[in-house]
Amino acid sequence: MDKNSKTLLSVLVIVAAMIGLAFASVPLYKKFCQVTGFGGTTQISDVAPNESDVLDREMAIHFSGNTNRNINWRFKPETNKLSLKVGQQGLISFQAKNLEATPATGTAIYNVTPQKAGKYFHKIQCFCFDAQTLNPGETMNMPVVFYVDPSIMNDKNMDDVKTITLSYSFFKSESKELDSALEEFYNAE
């Protein structure tokens, strides 16, 4: 193989690797956020915490719900605040009602503040990122089951956190607004 062929092959390998990294960057970034809680990304758990892991430290969990102007729904939590002990399982239900005269499909995006708490906020059941279709005038209850991980007690950076806020925003599915919100969600710093 001559020098020009080796150079061309090297350039092609580098270009192929860069293209591969470009396609892998979004899934890798999502995984990074899920593992670290970066950008307020919550953790997803398959199982409820053990009752023996419930600690005395109380946390106030605030809830909020809103809709983008492109979807005519009323969306709100059943209550604005719960007080739970660290490690205790919580349940909150959000209610959505389609105020349009036609069926409408929406998708919710969430946010946790302070962002540093996302690493310790575990959702067992959630409706976020799933398309929800409501007929005209239809109301739907959407539960969220969650807990604050007891390992929060081992992080001195979390000693000042007494309140965590879980917010959801609904967008019309397959809309530019949802695409922009998803891009912002995954690129949050």
Side-chain angles (χ1 to χ4, degrees):
M1 191 179 271
D2 67 353
K3 186 176 179 180
N4 287 338
S5 296
K6 286 181 183 179
T7 303
L8 178 62
L9 183 61
S10 296
V11 168
L12 289 175
V13 168
I14 291 170
V15 169
M18 291 174 69
I19 290 171
L21 279 173
F23 282 104
S25 64
V26 171
L28 289 173
Y29 183 75
K30 283 174 65 175
K31 190 65 171 169
F32 169 77
C33 290
Q34 289 171 343
V35 169
T36 65
F38 187 73
T41 301
T42 64
Q43 305 304 301
I44 298 172
S45 297
D46 294 331
V47 295
N50 293 323
E51 287 186 31
S52 62
D53 291 337
V54 176
L55 306 174
D56 285 335
R57 180 177 173 187
E58 291 235 350
M59 298 288 283
I61 312 296
H62 290 250
F63 306 97
S64 69
N66 60 69
T67 59
N68 183 267
R69 67 177 178 259
N70 70 350
I71 189 164
N72 190 14
W73 285 11
R74 183 174 55 235
F75 177 66
K76 62 182 182 174
E78 67 184 353
T79 184
N80 293 325
K81 179 182 171 187
L82 288 176
S83 290
L84 298 174
K85 293 185 178 198
V86 169
Q88 180 181 3
Q89 182 174 301
L91 169 66
I92 178 74
S93 187
F94 286 76
Q95 187 178 77
K97 181 174 184 176
N98 181 1
L99 304 175
E100 297 183 24
T102 59
T105 302
T107 301
I109 296 177
Y110 69 88
N111 186 16
V112 172
T113 53
Q115 288 186 350
K116 65 183 181 178
K119 179 178 180 179
Y120 301 101
F121 195 90
H122 288 251
K123 293 188 291 184
I124 300 169
Q125 178 183 344
C126 179
F127 56 86
C128 53
F129 301 115
D130 293 333
Q132 310 289 334
T133 301
L134 298 175
N135 289 315
E138 182 180 5
T139 299
M140 179 187 289
N141 288 318
M142 295 177 239
V144 178
V145 180
F146 64 93
Y147 68 94
V148 176
D149 191 320
S151 65
I152 195 171
M153 302 295 282
N154 301 328
D155 187 342
K156 297 296 179 198
N157 189 37
M158 299 301 293
D159 288 347
D160 64 329
V161 176
K162 311 261 186 274
T163 301
I164 296 174
T165 302
L166 177 63
S167 302
Y168 287 94
S169 296
F170 253 102
F171 295 83
K172 186 168 270 191
S173 293
E174 299 182 24
S175 66
K176 290 179 186 177
E177 292 85 357
L178 175 60
D179 291 344
S180 295
L182 284 170
E183 185 176 332
E184 185 177 316
F185 176 83
Y186 288 121
N187 292 324
E189 295 184 358

